[in-house]
Amino acid sequence: MSLYDDDQPKKKIVHEIGSDLSQLSVDELTARIALLSEEIARLEAERARKSASRSAAEGLFR
């Protein structure tokens, strides 16, 4: 084991909707914004994929 804990994985950023933001630094807020922006993009992509699948199914049964 080394003197420094560089080998330990970094703590995963977690954001709870509605949590107190007053104790977070500007860098922590920026990181959370990036995290949430990535999650929004992931959700929108999944919604688009499901909408396309649904539209294809509806077109098949018309």
Side-chain angles (χ1 to χ4, degrees):
M1 183 174 215
S2 68
L3 292 174
Y4 304 101
D5 292 330
D6 293 338
D7 298 335
Q8 290 187 357
K10 290 186 177 183
K11 187 176 179 182
K12 185 175 180 179
I13 299 171
V14 177
H15 180 77
E16 184 178 330
I17 304 298
S19 62
D20 180 20
L21 304 176
S22 65
Q23 300 298 314
L24 298 176
S25 69
V26 172
D27 289 340
E28 289 170 323
L29 289 168
T30 300
R32 289 195 185 195
I33 290 168
L35 174 75
L36 292 170
S37 294
E38 290 170 8
E39 184 64 6
I40 289 168
R42 190 176 77 90
L43 289 164
E44 288 175 337
E46 183 65 15
R47 179 178 61 184
R49 186 186 71 76
K50 287 186 178 195
S51 292
S53 178
R54 182 177 179 177
S55 294
E58 287 174 351
L60 185 64
F61 293 107
R62 282 186 184 180

